[in-house]
Each structure stands twice: as C-alpha cells, then as structure tokens.
C-alpha cells in the first residue's frame, strides 16, 4: 500500500488540479453576473448550484444563539480551548508601528494597521470545518480587523452546521452569510446589497472557489491558493512505528492527492511502519481515501543517515514536518524549509491542526521554500512615514538630484531644486 | 492641462495594460523553451529580442570593478548615502524568531529565516535604474538572503550601464546577469546552466516580464505586479503651489498612465497650482509624458474641508500621499490607506523615491487598502514550531479528538488516541 522508494523518486511534483477552459468560463460568467446583478445573481446561483432557495443570506444572531445552545459541553469546551490557544500564539505575531526620530529633525517610520474588512471562505455543504473558522478568523481578529465576514455554502437543508456557527461566535466573526462557490467570492470582492466588499479573501475551497479567488486578485488581496497537503516524518530507529503510521494516516485521510512520506535511516523502522499502516488503515472510516493517497503519493525512504533525511526534507519543503528523533532540538537549525515543524513523539500533526496554537493554513506542495503559515501579518498593512526637515532636505537634496538625473527623471530633480533654490 | 473635478469623478479605476492572447502565447512559449533548452534558448532569445549576441550572461567581477571606476565621485557618494539610509531603515523591519516555553513542557514558536536565493529584475535597455537595484537588493540583503541574483537586459552595445553595476555592488548583489524580458524570468524560475533557480523574483518590468512573473508564480514567489503609479497631495491654503506642482509633475513624468491628484479646500491654491503646473511642465525634458498624464489621469479637487480631503484619499488609497498642511502629524491617525506618507513641505516624494530610507516599491492603483511596500518580510519565511510534552498532550488530546470527530476525520483522532491509550 506504500512504496519504499529511492531518494531521487521523492521529487515528482504533484500536479495541481487541472482547470478546464469550460470551468474558467463558468467562473468568469459567475463573477460578472454577481458584479452586475448583486444579490439577485447570488440568489439564483445558490438555488441552481446548492439546490437551496434562500430569502436572505445573512445568518441571524438568534440563529447563532440557537446553534450554540445545541452544541455539547465537550465540543464547546474544545472550541474554547482551541480558540484560547490559537489567540495566544497569534498575539505573539503582532508587529508594532515604529518611528525613528533623528537629531536633524527627520522622522521616519512604519505604521502597521489592520485591514478594515476581510472575508473568510469556509467550505461546507455536507461537512463542517470549525477548525478552518478558528484558524482564519482569529488572526484577523488579533490583527484588529473590525469586520470579519464569513461565507459558507448552506447544506441541502439550507442551514450551516451548528458547530461551524459556534466556532464563528468563538472566533469573533462579525457576520455569517450562507453562500458558497465562485458566487460567494464574487460577492466578497465586489460587494452586493447584502454583503459588503472586503479587502482580502482567505480560506480553502474547491476548484471554482480557487479560480474565482485567482480572478479577483488585485481587486482584493487573497491568501495563497492551497494545493494538495503533505507530511514528512523524519524518524530514527527508536521512534514508535505506531505513532508514525497514525500520523501518516492522519494526513493521507484528507485527500487521495495528499502525500505522506517517511524518511528514516532504519530499515526495521520502515518495516514496522509498513505493517502498522496496513493494520491502522483498515480501521479508518476513510480507509479508501487514505489507501489511495499512500499508494499514489506516499513513500518510505531509507536514508544513509539522519543528515541525509534532513537534506531530503529541505528539498521537499513540506507543509508539515515531524522530527521523531532523539533530541529533536539538535536538528532544528538544519531545517531550512517547512511550513510547521513538530518535535518529538508528543507532537502529532493533529494537535497542530486543531489547537496547539500555530496556524494550520500552511504552504503546500514545496512552497515552504518561500511561503509561510497564515498569520496576523496577512491581515495587516504597512504605511511608510517620511517627515524630512528643511535641514535634512538641504543636506540630502543634492544626492537625490544626482540619482534622479542618472535615471533621466528631471522632474524629480526639479522638485528638490524648487525647494533648495527658494532657500538660497 | 489638468481638470478641476468633483469628488465622485476621482474614482475611475485606471485599467491595467491590456494583455492580448498573442502576448500570452508568446510568453508561454518563451517559458517552455527556456525550461527545456536552458542557456541555448536564452541566448537565442536575447539575440532576437534585444539584438545582442552574448557569449556569456554573467557580468564578471572585473567588469563591475571597471564600471565602478568610471562613476563620478558625486554619483558614488549619492549611491553610498542612499544605500546607507535604505539599509538603516530596513534593519528596523527585521523580525526575530521567538519561542514561548510553557510550564508544562510545551514549547511553541516561530522561526524567521531568509529566503535562500532571490532574483531581482531591473529594467534596462536604454535607461539605467540604480534606485531599483538599491530598493530591491537591500531588503533581501538585510533579511539575510545569501544569494541575491540580478538580471537586467543589456543595452544595444551588449553592456549594462555603469551606474547600475555600481548600485549592484553597493547593495550587495552577488551576481549580475545580462538578460531581460520573459526569458530572464524563466531562467530565474527554472534555472539554466549559467543561472541558478531562485525562490522569489521581484522588481518591475514591461508587460512581458509581468506576464512571465504571473505564470511562474507558485513555482517561485513573486512580488505584487506593479500597476500605474500615483500621487495624491492634500494641501491647505498656506501650502506652496510651487512645491505642489513640482511634486505632481515628478509623478506625472513617469508615464502617461501615472496619476497626480491634488485635494484641497482652497480654490485659490488650486488656481496657483494650475498656473505652476503650466509653467514648470514646459521646462521638463519629459514634458509631453507629464502633460499626457495630467490631462488624462490628473485632477484638482476642491473639498469642503481637510476632513473630506482625507476621506477621499482613504478611498483612493494612493501609492504616495503628501500632507502639505499645518501640523501634518495631527492627521496621521486618520490616514487609513496609503503606501507611503510624506509629511510637510520638506518631504517631497522624490526624496522617498531615492534615499530617505523607506522602500519605493509600493502598492499602486488603490491596492494600498491591503498591500504594503516591499520589505524585509518579503525576503523572509516563517516556520511554526510545536513541541508538545506528554503531559500537555494527555491534557489537550481529548479536545483534539472532539474537534477531529466533528469534522469527520477519524484518522486525526486516532493519532491522538494511539498515544493516550499507550499511556493508560
């Protein structure tokens, strides 16, 4: 069910879901209809695509109250714990505005301010993703964003799952709208009668959502388009095959395109993990998905030593990287590329997916080489501040003139000269 | 030459340069040729598109030495001053890695590391842009990026302007390659025999460069695609029309698509600025470009008061915003959206373009609502750290299981249960 491969075979990049011209045209059409017709278009598209007739999109506060009341105490507690830990981690990410005041009267600085209004896309339909709500809404709320608007497709009954609404309440979402697909992205990007235009849209979705986000980019900001998800586990001979197999399966059960890879210098560990994968996979409700993922995108690779395992992991630049080795902190400095790093046997990926604190929206498919987890920064913008004094301008002006003239921009030079000449 | 307009007329979004399907196909073709054939393709494309036959692309250290020796002392000094100030400003932007160690043994954190290798695109051909070199290379160097590779199209003589090479030396660029257009972007994104694959490509270019960057996005990271550039000046009745006109012209001379807007409650100031624009524009070598920009995208708008001017500026979200008013610091808290803010009469935009310190690569065309200036962050990536203790996992595990089960992900729950059960 999983292949033992050589190092070189690890580097076949998974192709992203192919987009057909027909899908592109369909999304383009939805975007322009919603831009032109607003709510009317969203209402018709929701009836046609989600099979639900909605009189109004916004979920009322009283509906959220009612939903929260149906949640079990255990679930309520788990949401609160997760929200608390996620909030506490993201509070550490906040940047302050700063200034530097120089003796000559010059003041330079950087203002850091929250985006005013953001839109969260939370997948729905038949499943509920409360963790996506927490992981996208809390960084926005910590950044200070005043309006955090959430859209999620209604289920066949026209409702949003109670636990999704409870998560929205817990995370400080300001308004929830029942809409999904490209039409929801369009509504957030352009605004309609009932939904306000936002500055940024974040959150995962299907191919139509991803296409729509890509097309409205520039009109609003978006987060990185998520590709198939992956885990790499680096383990030494003393690691527990039971834990490793369980963690690989927790990745593989997401999606047949997900990838789970073990890198270890120990052939006997690899064998133990293979056996455990077989045993544990059978017990999973999503065994079929997990097995397809392991078969097509899973791999066990026996490395010369741990150093080679680290080197391979750096080249793979995985979304999740577990270090199941003795003294994992010894190796942290050698890990160059990973979205999130899990150290030791008590840090399974699942704890990071739900409630350790760090964000679970992570760079996928090798992009950890240059992308990072969703963070408070993603909901902040910066403005540079320049307040020159007369003295400083007279001193630095000649340098500006020299450089502007070197670039053939005499108007730039003239704007400095106008000030210098006036003073002479 | 510039229209006095009503507030509502300010909000016509300038269209981006239209892309023809023919241009798209041409760029696609260039990308796949360079990916397949490497240097051979780049060499042929450089001969065909830049009209230059090159034996090798990399500019030798001795050529850079020779170029630096030809630079006037004044230019050398101006470059050094600009580099020093830009470096000093960007040093303030650096983020540290951090950890939070909890009493139960849990350690959470965030590693901040530089991108390993970045590519700078510097326009060339008939003009030189040393300021682009400084503004893109220095943040990378401050972030700690080890390899800062620069590409720039050779001039008709096959050379790169001496001042561009001097700027590269000053800014810590590690290698300079003579190549431009989509072929240079492809070489950076895929790597060839002579040019290494990078993690991110930044810097402005023509429509072919912009298209190529968009197409390789995901394979590597890119910076935001720059649109037409703009300035908004907010001024009160005591502001100097000579300075304001000079600053508007310094923007307008860039490009017929550039936009220069004055917002003022004072009709007499607006009249003074109109007269000054006429007078000063005539004296500029690029008068034709500036006049076209002012005619098509320039505007003077008489507002009710300063508060309305600020409100309009926030809606415009300009790249550059000058506050030529008494006590400009009083208004800073009301400015929500601006790439860079210039305070008072001694802070013309040109000083920020070249050497005040903040970056001149700024969000354009209203995107300051959600984008920020190029910064050290753009050359850094973050890895989340999660090191749970056994005690913490046993405590938080049940919460993870509850949330995983709510999402139908039993494999996630099982990875926690495997650990809890073993301990019981």
């Amino acid at each position: 069910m999983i292949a033992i491969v050589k190092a070189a075979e690890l580097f076949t990049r998974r192709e992203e879901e192919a987009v057909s011209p027909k899908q592109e045209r369909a999304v383009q059409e939805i975007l322009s209809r919603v831009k032109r017709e607003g709510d009317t278009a969203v209402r018709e598209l929701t009836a046609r695509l989600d099979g639900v007739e909605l009189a109004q999109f916004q979920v009322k506060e009283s509906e959220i109250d009612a939903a929260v009341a149906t949640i079990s105490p255990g679930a309520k507690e788990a949401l609160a714990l997760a929200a608390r830990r996620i909030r506490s981690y993201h509070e550490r990410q906040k940047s302050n505005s700063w200034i530097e005041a120089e003796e000559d009267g010059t003041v330079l600085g950087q203002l850091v301010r929250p985006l005013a209004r953001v839109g969260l896309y939370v997948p729905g339909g038949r499943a509920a993703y409360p963790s996506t709500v927490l992981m996208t809404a809390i960084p926005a709320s910590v950044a200070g964003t005043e309006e955090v608007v959430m859209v999620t497709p209604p289920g066949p009954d026209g409702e949003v799952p109670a636990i999704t609404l409870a998560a929205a309440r817990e995370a400080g979402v300001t308004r929830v709208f029942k809409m999904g697909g490209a039409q929801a992205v369009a509504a957030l990007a352009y605004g309609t009668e009932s939904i306000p235009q936002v500055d940024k849209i974040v959150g995962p979705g299907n191919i139509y959502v991803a296409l729509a986000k890509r097309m409205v980019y520039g009109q609003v900001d978006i987060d990185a388009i998520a590709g198939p998800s992956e885990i790499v586990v680096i383990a030494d001979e003393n690691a527990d095959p039971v834990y490793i197999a369980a963690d690989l399966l927790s990745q593989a059960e997401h999606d047949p395109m997900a990838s789970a890879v073990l890198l270890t210098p120990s052939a006997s560990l690899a064998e133990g993990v293979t056996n455990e994968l077989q045993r544990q996979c059978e017990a999973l409700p999503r065994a079929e998905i997990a097995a397809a993922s392991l078969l097509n995108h899973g791999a066990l690779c026996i490395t010369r030593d741990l150093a080679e395992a680290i080197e391979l992991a750096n080249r793979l630049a995985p979304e999740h990287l577990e270090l199941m080795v003795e003294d994992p902190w010894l190796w942290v400095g050698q890990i160059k590329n990973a979205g999130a790093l899990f150290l030791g046997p008590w840090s399974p990926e699942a704890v990071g997916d739900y409630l350790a604190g760090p964000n679970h929206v992570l760079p996928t498919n090798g992009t950890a080489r240059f992308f990072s987890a969703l963070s408070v920064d993603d909901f902040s913008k910066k403005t540079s501040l320049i307040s020159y004094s007369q003295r400083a301008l007279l001193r630095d002006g000649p340098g500006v003139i020299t450089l502007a003239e070197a670039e053939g921009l005499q108007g730039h030079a003239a704007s400095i000269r106008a000030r210098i000449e006036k003073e002479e």
Side-chain angles (χ1 to χ4, degrees), chain A:
Chain A
M1 78 186 299
I2 190 165
I4 299 210
V5 305
K6 294 208 197 333
E9 294 166 50
L10 289 169
F11 299 94
T12 48
R13 202 177 144 88
R14 283 164 296 159
E15 289 304 315
E16 288 173 36
E17 204 173 340
V19 177
S20 75
K22 200 176 146 196
Q23 288 171 316
E24 282 204 5
R25 275 197 307 275
V27 171
Q28 200 93 64
E29 170 65 18
I30 289 173
L31 295 184
S32 44
R33 272 201 63 193
V34 172
K35 193 174 181 179
R36 219 169 41 230
E37 301 164 27
D39 279 349
T40 311
V42 179
R43 193 165 288 114
E44 281 175 27
L45 289 160
T46 304
R48 175 145 63 86
L49 302 171
D50 299 314
V52 179
E53 306 270 354
L54 292 177
Q56 75 165 48
F57 301 111
Q58 190 172 343
V59 179
K60 296 197 197 87
E61 284 305 300
S62 58
E63 291 178 75
I64 301 179
D65 294 339
V68 171
T70 67
I71 300 294
S72 74
K76 216 172 280 178
E77 212 177 291
L79 282 177
L81 170 66
R84 204 163 59 237
R85 291 197 63 91
I86 295 167
R87 188 170 291 275
S88 151
Y89 182 88
H90 287 80
E91 287 284 355
R92 288 291 310 258
Q93 291 181 328
K94 284 187 80 164
S95 309
N96 290 319
S97 297
W98 53 264
I99 60 156
E100 180 107 34
E102 299 175 19
E103 286 195 19
D104 64 16
T106 305
V107 181
L108 301 175
Q110 182 173 274
L111 295 173
V112 183
R113 269 97 49 94
L115 302 191
R117 197 189 279 138
V118 302
L120 314 179
Y121 190 96
V122 175
R126 284 163 206 284
Y129 297 101
S131 67
T132 303
V133 179
L134 301 182
M135 291 289 183
T136 54
I138 291 174
S141 147
V142 170
T145 295
E146 287 198 3
E147 287 190 66
V148 181
V149 171
M150 175 179 139
V151 295
T152 189
D157 57 353
E159 300 299 323
V160 175
I163 191 146
T164 302
L165 293 177
R169 172 68 56 82
E170 187 68 51
V173 169
T174 39
R175 289 201 271 174
V176 181
F177 292 89
K178 292 184 226 179
M179 51 176 82
Q183 59 274 23
V185 174
L188 291 169
Y190 307 123
T192 70
E193 300 89 321
S194 65
I195 205 167
Q197 186 190 37
V198 302
D199 297 315
K200 183 166 186 165
I201 303 173
V202 305
N206 63 19
I207 184 81
Y208 294 98
V209 171
L211 265 174
K213 280 169 68 181
R214 212 172 286 203
M215 289 178 190
V216 299
Y217 178 63
Q219 173 77 39
V220 299
D221 191 17
I222 61 168
D223 56 353
I225 306 287
S229 172
E230 74 257 337
I231 188 172
V232 169
V233 177
I234 294 178
D236 60 20
E237 67 283 6
N238 297 320
D240 189 329
V242 175
Y243 297 178
I244 295 172
D247 296 355
L248 294 173
L249 283 166
S250 76
Q251 187 61 38
E253 75 167 341
H254 271 295
D255 181 348
M257 284 294 288
S259 162
V261 170
L262 170 65
L263 306 174
T264 179
S266 162
S268 72
L269 180 79
E271 197 190 318
V273 170
T274 309
N275 295 336
E276 273 299 317
L277 282 172
Q278 195 76 49
R279 188 183 69 80
Q280 293 183 27
C281 187
E282 282 166 9
L284 292 180
R286 296 167 69 93
E288 212 174 313
I289 295 172
S293 154
L294 291 178
L295 185 66
N296 295 315
H297 304 288
L300 308 185
C301 180
I302 317 274
T303 59
R304 273 193 312 277
D305 47 25
L306 277 182
E308 192 196 22
I310 301 269
E311 190 206 312
L312 292 171
N314 280 332
R315 284 178 56 197
L316 287 168
E319 184 185 11
H320 308 95
L321 177 57
E322 290 188 358
L323 287 184
M324 300 265 225
V325 298
E326 231 186 300
D327 278 336
W329 285 96
L330 278 182
W331 300 91
V332 169
Q334 292 186 39
I335 304 296
K336 302 296 178 203
N337 302 318
L341 192 50
F342 299 80
L343 306 183
W346 307 108
S347 313
E349 189 206 305
V351 80
D353 287 343
Y354 289 106
L355 59 61
N359 211 288
H360 78 194
V361 180
L362 289 164
T364 56
N365 211 10
T367 59
R369 254 169 61 220
F370 39 81
F371 289 150
S372 308
L374 190 70
S375 76
V376 171
D377 274 352
D378 288 298
F379 299 98
S380 310
K381 63 192 171 189
K382 290 158 191 160
T383 297
S384 312
L385 278 180
I386 299 173
S387 176
Y388 250 53
S389 64
Q390 183 177 14
R391 200 171 124 203
L393 189 73
L394 294 177
R395 184 198 59 209
D396 290 352
V400 177
I401 292 171
T402 302
L403 293 171
E405 290 183 341
E407 298 191 351
L409 296 171
Q410 301 292 344
H412 286 63
S415 75
I416 305 294
R417 277 212 190 87
R419 287 157 165 100
I420 295 182
E421 281 160 12
K422 198 134 173 188
E423 289 314 301
E424 281 169 357

